[in-house]
Amino acid sequence: MFRLPNRLKDETGFALAMAIFALVLLAAIIAGGYFSASQEYQIGRSMRTVTTSFYSGESGIYEVLDDWDPRVYFALAPGETLSIAPTVFEGGGSYSATVVRVGRAADVEKRYFYIEAVGRPPGSGLGERRQAMIVRARYPDFCCDYAMRVYDIIDFSGGGQERIYGTDRNPPGWPSSVCDEFSFGDTAGVFIRDPSAITNPSLIVGSPPVVTDYPAVGEGVIFFPGYNWNDLVSLADHDIPGGYTGNSTPSYHANGECDTSDPYNWGAPDSPGDPCFDYFPVIHVNGTITITNGSGQGIFLIENELHMIGPADFFGIALIRNDFVHQGPSAFYGMAWVADDIEFQGTIPRVYLSRCAAERAILESSLTSPRPVRPRSWVELF
C-alpha cells in the first residue's frame, strides 16, 4: 500500500497558520470599519460645514435687510456696489455681502437691489455657500406740496389765534444735523376743493396760502402715486382700535433699546439722543383717536377722526379719512391730508409745514423697508 511521506503527515504549526490568517482577516475587517467610520466622519463634517455655510449666508442676507439704512442704499446709483465686511456670528459661522442697485435711475419710488451673501463655517480652508436675493425698497412720494390737504370745510370759528403755516420750519429742539439732509422751502398752506369752505382764509399762511387743484376724488378718499389706502394699511406697524384716548409714552427694553413692539410707543420727538428719537412707527387707527397730551411722531392712518387736545404735539404725517378736530394748545409739524373737515377749537392750535418732520417720518418708517421681489426672489448660486 502507498504511504504518504512522514513530512506530509506532520500537522505541527497548523494552528499558527490559522491564527495568522484570522489576524489578517480581523485586521482587514478593522481597517474596513475604520475606513468606513472615517468616511462617515468626513461626510458628517462636510454636511455640518455645508449646513453652517448655508445658514450663515442666508442669515447674512437677512442681517442686511434688518440693518437696512435707506440713506446709504438709496444713495447708490444703478450698477453701483456696496460691500459689507465679513461679519462673524456668535457661536461660529460668518458672512460677507455685497449690495448692488439694479434698474434705472428713473425708478425713484421703486428701487431694486441685488443682495449677495457668502456664508462660511468656523475655521479656514473649509467650504462656503453663496446665495442671493432681489429686493425692492420703496420711497413714497408723500412730501411736500402743502401743509394740509382738506376735502371740505376748514372751520376757524372756535376762537383763538389758529393758523395753518405753509412756511417750512424745522421742529423746535431738533438739531440742524437731523434736518440738513432734507430740502427746505415754503409751499402752499392748504390744498382744498372749495376755497369758499374756509371760514377765515386770512389765518392761512403759505406760498400761496390756498390752492384749489384738489384731486377729483370723493370724500374719505386718500391715495398717493403707487398706493391706495389698503396698500398703506398693509404696511402699518401697529393697529390701534377706535375709541382710544390718551397719549404716547416711549417704552424701552431692559437693555435700554427702544421697544418698537409697543403700539402706544410713538417715538421720542422731544429728546434728541433718546433711543426712540429715530423711531417713526406707522400706526393704523381703526376708528377715532383722541390724543390728550404729550408728543409723538410717525405716520398716522386714521379710518375716522383725529382729535388733538392740548397740550399735545405730533410730528410727521397724518392721513385722516374723516375729520380732524384740533384743540389747543397743540401743534402739528409735518403734513396732513384730511379727507373731510378740519375744525380748530380752543387756544392756538396750529399746523406747521415741516419737510424735515414729514421726510424723516417716511425715511425712518417701515414704508422704506426692503421686501423680497416675488416670485423667485431668492436663489442659491453654489
Side-chain angles (χ1 to χ4, degrees), residues 60-83:
I61 290 178
Y62 286 100
E63 283 272 308
V64 173
L65 298 181
D66 287 342
D67 296 336
W68 190 265
D69 186 344
R71 290 177 174 83
V72 173
Y73 296 111
F74 285 178
L76 296 176
E80 190 174 356
T81 300
L82 178 67
S83 298

Side-chain angles (χ1 to χ4, degrees), residues 142-154 164-166 186-198 204-217 223-224 335-342 351 353 355:
F142 290 178
C143 186
C144 288
D145 296 327
Y146 51 86
M148 298 198 73
R149 177 171 282 182
V150 182
Y151 176 81
D152 201 1
I153 298 172
I154 301 178
I164 299 175
Y165 292 88
D186 298 340
T187 188
V190 169
F191 274 32
I192 193 167
R193 186 173 56 92
D194 181 4
S196 67
I198 304 173
I204 301 174
V205 179
S207 180
V210 178
V211 176
T212 60
D213 62 345
Y214 194 93
V217 296
F223 70 94
F224 293 95
M335 54 157 283
W337 185 334
V338 180
D340 197 3
D341 306 332
I342 179 168
V351 175
L353 168 72
R355 293 178 186 272

Side-chain angles (χ1 to χ4, degrees), residues 75-212:
L76 296 176
E80 190 174 356
T81 300
L82 178 67
S83 298
I84 299 172
T87 302
V88 179
F89 292 112
E90 184 178 352
S94 65
Y95 77 92
S96 58
T98 56
V99 180
V100 184
R101 169 90 182 269
V102 296
R104 305 171 301 160
D107 296 329
V108 176
E109 294 180 17
K110 300 178 182 180
R111 308 183 188 203
Y112 295 88
F113 299 87
Y114 170 82
I115 304 173
E116 183 176 302
V118 181
R120 299 179 180 88
S124 60
L126 300 175
E128 61 183 34
R129 299 287 286 274
R130 189 180 302 266
Q131 300 169 64
M133 180 180 288
I134 299 291
V135 300
R136 181 182 69 183
R138 307 184 74 169
Y139 190 42
D141 186 17
F142 290 178
C143 186
C144 288
D145 296 327
Y146 51 86
M148 298 198 73
R149 177 171 282 182
V150 182
Y151 176 81
D152 201 1
I153 298 172
I154 301 178
D155 184 2
F156 287 113
S157 62
Q161 302 176 18
E162 307 90 348
R163 293 290 191 275
I164 299 175
Y165 292 88
T167 50
D168 196 1
R169 66 186 66 195
N170 295 335
W174 286 18
S176 59
S177 59
V178 170
C179 295
D180 285 348
E181 65 180 294
F182 305 110
S183 61
F184 190 87
D186 298 340
T187 188
V190 169
F191 274 32
I192 193 167
R193 186 173 56 92
D194 181 4
S196 67
I198 304 173
T199 61
N200 189 346
S202 66
L203 298 180
I204 301 174
V205 179
S207 180
V210 178
V211 176
T212 60

Side-chain angles (χ1 to χ4, degrees), residues 314-326:
F314 188 82
F315 304 80
I317 296 173
L319 307 178
I320 308 163
R321 300 187 73 181
N322 200 345
D323 296 343
F324 183 9
V325 180
H326 198 183

